[in-house]
Amino acid sequence: MILIIALLTSSLKLLLMPAYYSTDFEVHRNWLSITHNLPVKRWYYDDTSEWTLDYPPLFAWFEYLLSYPAQFFDKNMLVINNLKYESRETIIFQRLSVIFMDAVYCYGVHRCCKVISKGWRTDVVLPILLITNCGLIMLDHIHFQYNGFMYGILLLSIADMCNDRFLKSAFWFVVLLNLKHIYVYASPAYFIYLLKTYCLCNRPISDVVLTQKCWSNTIKLGSVVIGVFVISFLPFYDHLPQIISRLFPLKRGLCHAYWAPNVWALYNIVDKAVFFAASKLGYHKGEAKAAMTGGLVQEYSHLVLPNITPRITIILSLIFVLPLMVKLWKLKCPTDFIRCIALCSLTAFLFGYHVHEKAILMAIIPITILSVRDPLDAKIFLILSTVGYYSLFPLLYPKNLFLVKTLLLIIHSLYSFHSLSKMYTMKICKYSLPLLNIFESFYLFSFCLIHTYEHFIHNLLDFQNKLPFLPLMITSVYCSVGVIYCWILYFIFSSKDLSQL
Amino acid sequence: MAVDKVLLKISCDNWLVVFGILVALLLRNVTMLHPYSGQGKPPMYGDYEAQRHWMEITTNLPVSEWYRNTSDNNLEYWGLDYPPLTAYHMYFCGLIANFLNENYTVLHASRGFESDEHKIFMRLTVLLCDILVYIPSLVIFYYSCAKLYQSDSANRSVKQNYTIPSSLSIILALLYPGIILIDHGHFQYNNVSLGLTTFSVIFLLHQKNILSSIFFCLALNYKQMELYHSLPFFLYLLSTCIPKPGKRAISGVVSLFVLGITVVVTFSIIWLPFLFDLDILLQVLHRQFPFARGIFEDKVANFWCALNVVYKLKVCDKAKLMRICLFTTLSAVFPSSVDLFLRPNRKKFILALINSSLAFFLFSYQVHEKTILVVALPVLLYFPENPFVCFWFLFISVFSMVPLFVKDDLIVAVIALLMFYIISFYVSMKYYYQSRCNSSNVSNYHIEQIRFLHNLINVDVKKSDKISRVFKMITRSRKTVEYFIFFLAMLLSFVGSLLIFVISIVFEPPVKYPDLFPLLISIYSCFHFLGFFVYFNVKQIQISQDFGDIGNVKLKEN
């Protein structure tokens, strides 16, 4: 079944080949050429293109490996100075590489489904929900990135964790960290869970007696983690600061050009509103320096409210992650571990510094696994996936993709609602979608309104020139409400769980 | 109405149809991103520019000049050569185009106009036709057709209750890559005429002869290719006018008269602007049938193109060729037509449509490779009865158009859509036979075949286990041997076409024969089509006459 679904989605992905791709296409082409031509030491120094290498070393190695088959397609794509080179062969090669790397994702899905075998739920519904994940299709196969196989590794790691193969799981996760450092979001959950169940062998805190087994486990785990890091970073040992500065570019602003739907989007809009009100009332506090969603502005200072520094965001995230960690310490079920990954990622997504809207997938994918087990997880999944995928829409701005993205979202959400509502017996409630209450369904239905406003009414009202970024603002603010709602609901749900125990 | 109530009312099977339609729409939308025919290829461009040019002509010139060569209307440059309904459709689209952007339809100046927005607009007009005509027609057909056969099986044996469920046939019909590629990739409006024909078939099968003839006239007036279907329509409707035993002769004459009036009125309404001037009328008619062109264009998978390899036809006299074509076509159509007329049966009708259109495709004059879609439509309609043969035919029909798609740079789309289609076919057959195997409501005669098919298709069984099981079944009865040979032949044919396909893409043709691969593809598919032609003819003649309505009449008299 998984194979069939994978092949069907692959043919859809293949069909998407001539679709629009973002600058990430050029980014990855540039990395191919850098890793292919330059000696290892120069990888993180080259700045011929503005799209410098800013992924961790293992990803650079991955690009290095990819550059060999690339030769057979078109040698010119591997020339560093061929900026914006996009021949037919280059496009075919890059797109095909993403499609083939998705095999890892499918394998991860297969492993995960095996772990939580529960009849047709996991045999049919879960693979469909995971593999046809329309966020991944939009990001990887239209926008262009390699998220699919990295999420595949995350799923592998989760599956191993559920099978109590801790070392393997830790190994995969560290590999993942070295492919893309954004997965740091999930690391608190890994840390606590491994510490509790593997290093301390599931003993309660009260009688921490470190037996020999505990020590040997700790050493094994440590050597795996450190080993992967050493292998990955060893070739670059004498220019670590350069890599670190590339990986964590703190010079960028609090929000991405397009605001990710998180707390800071709301914060920005409040700031704007206060400024607007103040200037209307005559308290001029200076001109608005630039349009906030302009894209060019890297650093932006708030007009009225205090500025947010990276340190504040980290502290805030940690404050909210802490109770989760305490809870995870007290439980030991793998389900809670998966839930904790989702919540950690969601918290980091909400409060993080310079968060991309793509990071929402890190919360959605673990919740998908849980959605076939518990109605509340299913409910959160339904809201969060719809909101999350909708928030990706502005990435695919070309007009010819309008129907494609809309249909993708409609099909995926319709299938999720259909299959999950079959799974749980629920009381039938008028005027609402299955598993949701009236307000939530109303919230989701309003997306239709926003979608039509953005694409039709906004143009009809001739606001394009006056307020060009209004639709983007509405999208991110509206989506952020939904994401924050999901987060609060999920947070309360997990703390309730704790009190029951 | 409450949302959940609506959701609950739709059964699981219908949900499948909803998802199928949405997925089919998605695939069409994605195919739209691919290049159209003649994209960025001045000076003549391709069919896309032809349609745009017709919008330009129809919106700017008076009706009388649409089909005439004037200083404003150079017929050499994509002159209008489709019947009036297409022209009206283009006029309507042209008005919208003009409203959106005046540059789209400026006379003369807009020649070769290309822009991303214009592409979206043109693509959307095709999609709209799909949503309004083609998709509803197929959905209605399969639903009402299933009912038709059910009512039949209630009267007779259970044997008829042997068709693929309508939900699966709808999905598979909508996913058929040929029409998606030609309409949404290459760019044409075949879906309108094919959809209208399907509506006409629906009405005919429900014995609404007048509505049926109206819709067929509309289809014919949208695209003259529908003439390939006209013989079975004509003969079947004529046969209904022959008075049944127990009815007076006058009733037959009256119904014939009513049908005749319907056709004449429909035609005259459509042709109204051209009727008052004989010159114009003749010119319009002349434009529809361009005999001046050769016997075939490019490489077509028909008999003449295959014959051309051995014996060069293009040297022959055109008039003589035309006569030969006419004769061979008529003799090819003859058996199925006579059978349909003398022993009419509703079930036979769709087969007769296949046979007539296939005969025209194989033997008539001036055939395009795209015309295979006219044959593919009745095959799609016949699909629930005989899924494997139809699937085989549909696959070969797409394969026969590959040279065209290579020219249009649509190869990636062909591979992707074919893959999607084949896998969906495989999945639906597998689950269908699985469910049949488990259900007890099957006669002993069929259970053998069903089990056999189930075993053959199923991959979940272990390899060694499977082979021994299949072998055991083969030795048990003759029927299964036939099935096995059939599947072997189908597999070989698929492998063969795949080989030719891969070779034609990977290798450059030899300098001496630049057309080698297209020719190879058309000959390969031509032999298949000849085989299918014989098969469908035999199938049609095997069906006996429908005595249903005669029996009812007698009962009433008693």
Side-chain angles (χ1 to χ4, degrees):
Chain A
M1 193 64 201
I2 289 182
L3 188 72
I4 287 166
I5 302 163
L7 283 175
L8 282 178
T9 27
S10 306
S11 31
L12 176 67
K13 292 166 185 171
L14 205 62
L15 204 57
L16 279 168
M17 212 177 247
Y20 146 90
Y21 45 82
S22 70
T23 44
D24 277 339
F25 182 85
E26 165 65 11
V27 171
H28 286 95
R29 189 212 59 76
N30 183 41
W31 293 353
L32 272 181
S33 68
I34 288 178
T35 50
H36 187 75
N37 293 310
L38 296 179
V40 178
K41 308 222 153 173
R42 298 277 315 144
W43 284 1
Y44 283 93
Y45 285 96
D46 180 83
D47 51 4
T48 320
S49 157
E50 56 179 318
W51 311 114
T52 50
L53 190 54
D54 57 1
Y55 273 30
L58 278 190
F59 195 84
W61 286 111
F62 165 69
E63 290 279 359
Y64 176 73
L65 289 180
L66 263 189
S67 69
Y68 281 96
Q71 285 175 323
F72 296 104
F73 282 78
D74 187 354
K75 279 195 171 152
N76 287 330
M77 82 167 100
L78 297 175
V79 177
I80 297 182
N81 288 321
N82 267 348
L83 297 183
K84 302 241 163 100
Y85 183 75
E86 32 200 54
S87 72
R88 208 183 126 81
E89 285 77 17
T90 314
I91 295 172
I92 290 178
F93 171 73
Q94 295 246 66
R95 291 274 197 211
L96 277 183
S97 68
V98 182
I99 293 172
F100 276 108
M101 288 314 289
D102 270 2
V104 178
Y105 181 69
C106 297
Y107 180 66
V109 172
H110 168 72
R111 288 285 308 277
C112 271
C113 293
K114 250 189 169 174
V115 167
I116 34 172
S117 203
K118 236 186 166 190
W120 64 275
R121 292 183 183 188
T122 45
D123 286 349
V124 181
V125 175
L126 187 57
I128 294 183
L129 285 181
L130 278 172
I131 292 178
T132 62
N133 184 320
C134 84
L136 272 184
I137 294 179
M138 289 195 279
L139 273 186
D140 281 9
H141 302 276
I142 303 179
H143 178 83
F144 197 84
Q145 271 191 344
Y146 287 94
N147 291 302
F149 93 91
M150 292 192 250
Y151 282 110
I153 293 176
L154 180 66
L155 289 180
L156 276 180
S157 163
I158 289 176
D160 278 330
M161 194 67 103
C162 295
N163 276 339
D164 287 352
R165 289 197 206 113
F166 301 109
L167 279 182
K168 240 178 152 182
S169 169
F171 170 76
W172 284 123
F173 185 69
V174 179
V175 167
L176 187 63
L177 273 182
N178 279 296
L179 280 168
K180 197 173 178 180
H181 46 301
I182 194 151
Y183 293 94
V184 151
Y185 287 179
S187 56
Y190 272 89
F191 178 72
I192 297 290
Y193 192 74
L194 283 173
L195 186 68
K196 163 87 181 177
T197 47
Y198 190 65
C199 295
L200 296 181
C201 309
N202 259 327
R203 278 157 205 275
I205 315 173
S206 47
D207 56 16
V208 179
V209 187
L210 296 176
T211 54
Q212 204 178 356
K213 199 179 173 205
C214 292
W215 280 113
S216 73
N217 278 353
T218 315
I219 290 170
K220 273 194 249 166
L221 184 66
S223 52
V224 165
V225 173
I226 294 168
V228 174
F229 267 108
V230 165
I231 290 170
S232 142
F233 278 91
L234 197 61
F236 310 95
Y237 66 94
D238 48 354
H239 24 251
L240 277 177
Q242 168 71 11
I243 298 183
I244 299 293
S245 72
R246 283 277 176 91
L247 294 188
F248 301 99
L250 290 180
K251 268 177 270 165
R252 297 190 191 171
L254 172 66
C255 288
H256 195 49
Y258 154 67
W259 304 344
N262 58 10
V263 170
W264 308 124
L266 283 184
Y267 188 79
N268 283 349
I269 202 75
V270 169
D271 180 59
K272 269 254 171 187
V274 172
F275 173 76
F276 187 73
S279 56
K280 277 278 166 184
L281 290 170
Y283 303 105
H284 269 288
K285 289 197 171 185
E287 288 298 306
K289 279 166 200 155
M292 292 158 105
T293 37
L296 294 168
V297 190
Q298 286 286 315
E299 269 182 285
Y300 168 77
S301 54
H302 286 94
L303 298 163
V304 184
L305 299 180
N307 272 335
I308 302 296
T309 58
R311 195 170 296 155
I312 298 177
T313 62
I314 292 173
I315 291 170
L316 265 178
S317 317
L318 284 182
I319 287 174
F320 284 106
V321 165
L322 217 58
L324 299 174
M325 297 302 103
V326 173
K327 187 203 150 203
L328 186 65
W329 184 268
K330 294 192 177 169
L331 302 168
K332 53 188 172 187
C333 169
T335 322
D336 293 296
F337 165 67
I338 302 177
R339 198 168 284 150
C340 196
I341 292 181
L343 258 171
C344 281
S345 324
L346 201 58
T347 314
F349 176 80
L350 280 181
F351 297 102
Y353 192 77
H354 195 80
V355 176
H356 281 244
E357 58 284 357
K358 301 152 204 166
I360 190 83
L361 283 182
M362 268 186 71
I364 293 177
I365 288 179
I367 295 179
T368 317
I369 305 172
L370 297 174
S371 70
V372 292
R373 298 181 58 119
D374 190 289
L376 200 108
D377 286 308
K379 174 184 173 134
I380 300 285
F381 165 72
L382 289 175
I383 305 176
L384 194 65
S385 66
T386 315
V387 175
Y389 298 147
Y390 186 85
S391 74
L392 296 177
F393 275 8
L395 287 176
L396 317 178
Y397 61 86
K399 278 180 187 163
N400 57 3
L401 290 176
F402 168 73
L403 276 174
V404 175
K405 64 186 181 188
T406 317
L407 272 172
L408 270 174
L409 180 60
I410 289 177
I411 293 173
H412 191 79
S413 316
L414 208 60
Y415 181 76
S416 324
F417 274 104
H418 170 69
S419 57
L420 291 178
S421 68
K422 287 246 149 125
M423 213 170 267
Y424 306 106
T425 48
M426 27 138 204
K427 60 173 196 291
I428 291 161
C429 174
K430 253 187 178 178
Y431 306 115
S432 64
L433 292 163
L435 291 166
L436 306 189
N437 63 31
I438 294 178
F439 297 108
E440 290 153 353
S441 343
F442 179 72
Y443 173 78
L444 288 189
F445 275 122
S446 306
F447 273 109
C448 304
L449 276 180
I450 290 187
H451 200 47
T452 34
Y453 173 77
E454 265 177 54
H455 290 91
F456 300 107
I457 302 172
H458 188 74
N459 293 359
L460 283 178
L461 292 176
D462 261 345
F463 281 174
Q464 285 129 303
N465 301 324
K466 246 197 297 182
L467 301 163
F469 299 112
L470 184 66
L472 287 185
M473 215 153 79
I474 293 176
T475 308
S476 55
V477 170
Y478 195 73
C479 289
S480 70
V481 172
V483 175
I484 292 169
Y485 173 76
C486 284
W487 179 71
I488 294 171
L489 212 63
Y490 217 35
F491 212 87
I492 294 171
F493 169 59
S494 51
S495 49
K496 252 190 202 159
D497 236 18
L498 182 65
S499 59
Q500 278 164 9
L501 281 164
Chain B
M1 180 79 87
V3 182
D4 58 322
K5 271 195 181 167
V6 178
L7 294 184
L8 282 177
K9 266 187 189 162
I10 308 174
S11 72
C12 203
D13 231 23
N14 296 358
W15 266 113
L16 208 61
V17 175
V18 171
F19 284 120
I21 293 173
L22 285 175
V23 169
L25 281 177
L26 177 69
L27 289 184
R28 282 166 164 76
N29 264 307
V30 180
T31 315
M32 288 175 181
L33 304 173
H34 288 255
Y36 47 81
S37 69
Q39 182 166 344
K41 283 179 194 157
M44 278 310 268
Y45 303 96
D47 278 335
Y48 176 87
E49 167 64 8
Q51 304 281 354
R52 194 213 54 75
H53 180 67
W54 294 348
M55 290 182 196
E56 169 196 335
I57 293 295
T58 47
T59 42
N60 285 304
L61 299 180
V63 181
S64 55
E65 284 183 31
W66 284 1
Y67 287 90
R68 265 199 306 194
N69 203 8
T70 61
S71 57
D72 284 333
N73 187 9
N74 180 8
L75 288 185
E76 291 289 299
Y77 185 81
W78 299 114
L80 196 51
D81 54 2
Y82 275 22
L85 209 56
T86 296
Y88 300 146
H89 181 206
M90 288 301 105
Y91 175 67
F92 182 68
C93 290
L95 287 183
I96 299 173
N98 197 29
F99 170 75
L100 289 176
N101 186 343
E102 285 171 7
N103 293 331
Y104 290 173
T105 54
V106 181
L107 195 59
H108 301 307
S110 66
R111 270 197 193 179
F113 186 91
E114 286 181 310
S115 79
D116 286 343
E117 254 110 64
H118 187 245
K119 183 176 171 182
I120 296 173
F121 163 71
M122 296 288 272
R123 296 291 204 197
L124 284 184
T125 56
V126 185
L127 190 72
L128 196 70
C129 296
D130 247 5
I131 293 171
L132 291 182
V133 184
Y134 184 68
I135 294 177
S137 74
L138 283 180
V139 172
I140 295 172
F141 175 83
Y142 289 114
Y143 273 124
S144 61
C145 158
K147 269 181 206 159
L148 200 76
Y149 286 118
Q150 268 167 23
S151 65
D152 273 9
S153 63
N155 298 339
R156 288 186 217 157
S157 60
V158 205
K159 203 177 159 190
Q160 291 303 333
N161 191 9
Y162 190 48
T163 56
I164 303 296
S166 41
S167 53
L168 289 182
S169 352
I170 291 174
I171 295 172
L172 288 173
L174 292 181
L175 292 180
Y176 170 57
I179 190 121
I180 302 181
L181 285 165
I182 291 290
D183 279 5
H184 300 270
H186 174 86
F187 202 85
Q188 271 194 338
Y189 294 90
N190 292 300
N191 48 13
V192 180
S193 57
L194 295 181
L196 289 173
T197 313
T198 315
F199 273 120
S200 168
V201 173
I202 296 167
F203 287 122
L204 192 99
L205 293 182
H206 285 276
Q207 293 168 321
K208 307 261 186 302
N209 291 350
I210 294 180
L211 274 174
S212 165
S213 56
I214 291 176
F215 270 96
F216 189 68
C217 288
L218 290 179
L220 199 57
N221 273 305
Y222 194 88
K223 212 171 175 184
Q224 65 271 42
M225 280 314 157
E226 290 302 323
L227 272 178
Y228 291 7
H229 286 150
S230 60
L231 218 50
F233 271 100
F234 174 71
L235 290 172
Y236 186 83
L237 288 176
L238 193 66
S239 76
T240 58
C241 295
I242 294 174
K244 302 274 159 5
K247 276 194 178 178
R248 270 185 290 166
I250 193 79
S251 66
V253 177
V254 168
S255 49
L256 185 65
F257 185 72
V258 171
L259 276 179
I261 291 287
T262 316
V263 172
V264 169
V265 167
T266 317
F267 260 87
S268 48
I269 290 175
I270 292 167
W271 288 70
L272 199 62
F274 311 100
L275 280 181
F276 301 107
D277 192 338
L278 194 65
D279 265 1
I280 295 177
L281 189 64
L282 287 178
Q283 169 68 13
V284 177
L285 273 177
H286 173 73
R287 291 291 305 163
Q288 319 295 325
F289 303 102
F291 290 115
R293 298 198 201 165
I295 185 162
F296 53 83
E297 265 182 32
D298 295 330
K299 294 282 171 281
V300 186
N302 79 354
F303 179 72
W304 304 119
C305 189
L307 192 68
N308 199 33
V309 179
V310 198
Y311 178 77
K312 292 286 170 237
L313 287 167
K314 293 211 168 171
V315 267
C316 290
D317 176 36
K318 266 181 191 160
K320 191 177 151 198
L321 265 182
M322 230 180 285
R323 248 174 287 145
I324 296 175
C325 283
L326 187 69
F327 177 71
T328 44
T329 313
L330 284 184
S331 46
V333 187
F334 190 71
S336 82
S337 307
V338 170
D339 177 60
L340 180 72
F341 182 65
L342 294 182
R343 308 191 305 158
N345 181 341
R346 275 189 284 171
K347 262 174 233 155
K348 218 176 248 195
F349 178 68
I350 289 169
L351 277 167
L353 280 182
I354 300 176
N355 288 327
S356 142
S357 49
L358 198 50
F360 273 99
F361 177 81
L362 283 172
F363 299 107
S364 77
Y365 192 77
Q366 236 284 305
V367 175
H368 282 262
E369 63 272 61
K370 284 165 263 174
T371 318
I372 195 66
L373 290 182
V374 175
V375 192
L377 178 79
V379 176
L380 281 178
L381 302 186
Y382 186 61
F383 185 86
E385 297 277 300
N386 202 342
F388 288 99
V389 177
C390 290
F391 172 70
W392 191 358
F393 178 91
L394 294 170
F395 176 83
I396 295 293
S397 75
V398 177
F399 175 68
S400 76
M401 289 186 282
V402 160
L404 181 77
F405 298 136
V406 171
K407 225 189 283 168
D408 289 345
D409 199 13
L410 284 171
I411 277 304
V412 177
V414 172
I415 297 171
L417 285 172
L418 263 183
M419 203 163 116
F420 202 96
Y421 185 60
I422 292 172
I423 296 167
S424 353
F425 175 78
Y426 168 78
V427 176
S428 25
M429 286 305 117
K430 188 178 148 190
Y431 283 92
Y432 169 65
Y433 282 108
Q434 208 159 32
S435 63
R436 298 288 306 196
C437 230
N438 298 334
S439 75
S440 53
N441 188 14
V442 194
S443 60
N444 276 331
Y445 174 69
H446 286 295
I447 195 103
E448 286 269 291
Q449 291 170 33
I450 291 168
R451 276 209 189 126
F452 177 69
L453 285 173
H454 175 60
N455 270 313
L456 208 58
I457 297 175
N458 203 346
V459 281
D460 295 341
V461 196
K462 266 187 200 162
K463 266 271 159 53
S464 55
D465 221 27
K466 184 178 159 182
I467 292 170
S468 68
R469 235 191 261 181
V470 167
F471 186 73
K472 241 187 228 166
M473 290 192 148
I474 288 174
T475 49
R476 213 178 287 164
S477 79
R478 218 187 107 240
K479 198 79 191 160
T480 45
V481 175
E482 280 171 20
Y483 260 97
F484 186 70
I485 291 171
F486 169 76
F487 276 102
L488 210 62
M490 189 159 101
L491 199 70
L492 279 179
S493 141
F494 281 176
V495 171
S497 48
L498 207 69
L499 269 179
I500 298 179
F501 183 69
V502 170
I503 288 171
S504 71
I505 289 175
V506 174
F507 294 101
E508 289 285 316
V511 187
K512 218 170 155 191
Y513 307 103
D515 277 345
L516 178 71
F517 294 133
L519 196 68
L520 209 61
I521 290 175
S522 26
I523 292 172
Y524 188 82
S525 1
C526 174
F527 278 110
H528 277 88
F529 290 147
L530 283 170
F532 286 121
F533 182 63
V534 174
Y535 175 83
F536 284 126
N537 263 302
V538 171
K539 271 275 160 191
Q540 185 194 335
I541 291 165
Q542 272 175 357
I543 296 177
S544 60
Q545 189 173 356
D546 188 6
F547 291 108
D549 26 345
I550 304 173
N552 287 341
V553 173
K554 277 179 185 166
L555 270 176
K556 268 178 207 163
E557 279 192 347
N558 290 342

